[in-house]
Amino acid sequence: MAKNDAPEEKKTGRLKQIASAYKLTKKSDPTVGLVLAGIFLGIVAVFVVVGLLVGPLMVWIPLGVALGFLAATIVFGRKVEKAAYSQIEGQAGAAASALQTLRRGWTVTPAVAVTKNADIVHRVVGRPGIVLVGEGQASRVKNLLAAEGKKHNRVAGGAPVIQIVAGQGEDEIDIRKLTKHVMKLPQALQPSEITDLLQRLKALDAVRPQVPMPKGPVPTSLKGARQAMKGR
């Protein structure tokens, strides 16, 4: 009985995630329901007309329904992501929230360094090497990044140590583009080298004092919204 109930519970959980994502999106985009319905019905209508003209109708209608649903789903996913980003922008930890949507092959460690002024450095380890991502006031966070860069270079064993400032200023990477930017960095390490690098970084983290994230809400809605669209 338990085995039969598991798929049903998973389906119910996914529906709840999608409903939550829809509510999130509707707050920032009240017309989302009308837009999705318009896309779906518009595509179906086109295929109905084609079916009436060239037939058979019973072939074209299911095709229109399938394509209409696919198009609406794609648009919905983009709107969910846009709404989620709009909620986390400007909050402490926004860059960490974006980075945590990276897929397999990446190890994300939020807040390896934090100052009392809420300047934060997060660390990502993957094929490009060590990527340090700072967020906060530009001049201060660059100094924090430089200090962290020196610490990480000591244990990097020749692996690249890349510094990025997340933000909307000059030479900064908008959080909406942050994960894509990181994923496009040149690959420099093999999987076995990444494993060895992570072990060395554990030693670095073990000797540094634990630093808490700045007080206040740390955004997590972005990861949840993407999971809803992926059905995770």
Side-chain angles (χ1 to χ4, degrees):
M1 185 67 179
K3 290 183 179 180
N4 293 333
D5 289 343
E8 189 64 30
E9 290 178 2
K10 186 176 180 180
K11 182 178 179 180
T12 302
R14 183 179 179 185
L15 290 174
K16 287 182 179 179
Q17 282 186 323
I18 293 174
S20 176
Y22 179 80
K23 290 178 181 178
L24 167 73
T25 307
K26 193 172 178 62
K27 287 181 181 179
S28 59
D29 186 358
T31 65
V32 60
L34 292 174
V35 171
L36 296 177
I39 291 171
F40 175 76
L41 294 175
I43 292 176
V44 171
V46 169
F47 277 80
V48 168
V49 172
V50 172
L52 291 172
L53 293 175
V54 302
L57 190 60
M58 295 308 296
V59 171
W60 289 96
I61 289 179
L63 183 59
V65 170
L67 290 178
F69 180 77
L70 177 62
T73 300
I74 292 171
V75 172
F76 180 45
R78 290 175 179 172
K79 286 184 172 292
V80 168
E81 186 172 327
K82 182 179 179 181
Y85 275 121
S86 67
Q87 281 207 344
I88 69 173
E89 278 183 322
Q91 295 188 43
S97 183
L99 291 168
Q100 286 171 345
T101 65
L102 286 165
R103 299 178 180 178
R104 292 181 182 178
W106 301 91
T107 301
V108 180
T109 307
V112 293
V114 180
T115 70
K116 63 181 181 181
N117 294 316
D119 301 314
I120 315 173
V121 172
H122 313 292
R123 184 178 68 218
V124 182
V125 179
R127 295 290 294 273
I130 301 171
V131 184
L132 300 176
V133 180
E135 59 176 318
Q137 202 278 330
S139 60
R140 293 196 309 258
V141 81
K142 286 179 180 178
N143 291 333
L144 184 60
L145 271 172
E148 284 301 310
K150 291 179 181 178
K151 293 178 183 178
H152 283 78
N153 269 311
R154 294 192 192 107
V155 299
V161 179
I162 303 162
Q163 299 178 21
I164 296 173
V165 178
Q168 297 181 330
E170 187 178 356
D171 298 325
E172 298 177 355
I173 306 299
D174 193 298
I175 62 167
R176 298 171 188 263
K177 302 176 181 179
L178 184 58
T179 56
K180 290 182 179 179
H181 179 83
V182 170
M183 291 173 68
K184 289 181 179 180
L185 291 172
Q187 297 186 358
L189 303 180
Q190 298 300 318
S192 59
E193 294 175 307
I194 295 173
T195 302
D196 181 58
L197 177 58
L198 288 172
Q199 291 300 318
R200 292 199 299 272
L201 289 173
K202 282 184 179 180
L204 173 64
D205 293 341
V207 298
R208 72 164 74 231
Q210 294 295 317
V211 286
M213 288 285 284
K215 293 182 179 180
V218 177
T220 57
S221 57
L222 178 57
K223 187 174 183 179
R226 284 192 174 179
Q227 286 178 334
M229 293 313 302
K230 294 176 183 176
R232 292 180 182 175

